[in-house]
């Protein structure tokens, strides 16, 4: 699975403003996966290294496996560069990473809270 994550909050990498990140999970090697696990453990500190979760439910691993898929496409980027990603863009990374483990296709369009919601909710009132 491959795609592009469009950043709402562009990041600077090597003096260049980056607003789109290509990723490709088919390019992740065993070494890349190990690097993602190591980056996750480093981010969580000494306590994080001891916590083992089921990969499908490990949101921190989802972040780092998505970063690994981005780095697999563009080897100039590093985990440190991509750790600058912020806001709802973090959620986009997590969704992409989760899709790696579940095999489900994910839509990573710009989502901005409830103002774009088309959901109709019934108005209910309760009298006391």
């Amino acid at each position: 699975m491959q795609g592009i994550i469009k950043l709402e909050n562009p990041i600077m990498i090597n003096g260049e403003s980056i607003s789109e990140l290509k990723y490709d999970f088919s390019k992740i090697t065993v070494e890349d996966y190990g690097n993602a696990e190591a980056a996750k453990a480093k981010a969580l500190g000494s306590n994080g290294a001891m916590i083992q979760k089921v990969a499908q439910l490990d949101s921190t691993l989802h972040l780092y496996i998505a970063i690994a898929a981005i780095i697999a496409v563009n080897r100039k980027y590093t985990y440190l560069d991509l750790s600058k990603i912020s806001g709802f863009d973090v959620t986009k990374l997590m969704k992409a990473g989760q899709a790696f483990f579940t095999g489900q296709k994910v839509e990573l369009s710009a989502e901005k809270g409830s103002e774009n919601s088309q959901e109709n909710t019934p108005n209910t009132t309760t009298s006391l």
Side-chain angles (χ1 to χ4, degrees):
M1 182 172 57
Q2 60 182 327
I4 297 173
I5 296 173
K6 295 183 182 198
L7 301 176
E8 293 178 32
N9 303 304
I11 58 174
M12 293 296 288
I13 300 178
N14 301 324
E16 181 182 351
S17 179
I18 306 296
S19 60
E20 291 186 350
L21 296 166
K22 293 180 184 178
Y23 65 92
D24 189 345
F25 289 110
S26 69
K27 294 186 183 285
I28 292 177
T29 65
V30 171
E31 181 179 10
D32 294 332
Y33 189 95
N35 290 339
E37 284 275 11
K40 170 196 155 185
K42 182 178 178 184
L44 294 176
S46 60
N47 293 335
M50 303 304 291
I51 298 172
Q52 292 294 321
K53 294 183 181 180
V54 175
Q56 292 86 340
L57 304 175
D58 188 343
S59 59
T60 306
L61 181 57
H62 299 166
L63 285 169
Y64 286 99
I65 204 70
I67 289 173
I70 293 166
I71 292 171
V73 173
N74 191 337
R75 296 287 178 183
K76 296 185 301 185
Y77 297 166
T78 67
Y79 283 93
L80 185 59
D81 291 331
L82 298 172
S83 70
K84 300 172 192 172
I85 294 171
S86 64
F88 287 110
D89 296 330
V90 174
T91 303
K92 292 176 187 179
L93 284 177
M94 286 176 24
K95 286 181 180 181
Q98 184 180 38
F100 173 77
F101 293 104
T102 63
Q104 294 177 337
K105 198 168 187 173
V106 65
E107 176 62 39
L108 297 172
S109 62
E111 298 172 3
K112 290 192 177 195
S114 62
E115 68 269 8
N116 292 333
S117 176
Q118 298 297 317
E119 182 180 19
N120 291 325
T121 53
N123 290 334
T124 59
T125 57
T126 305
S127 46
L128 298 173

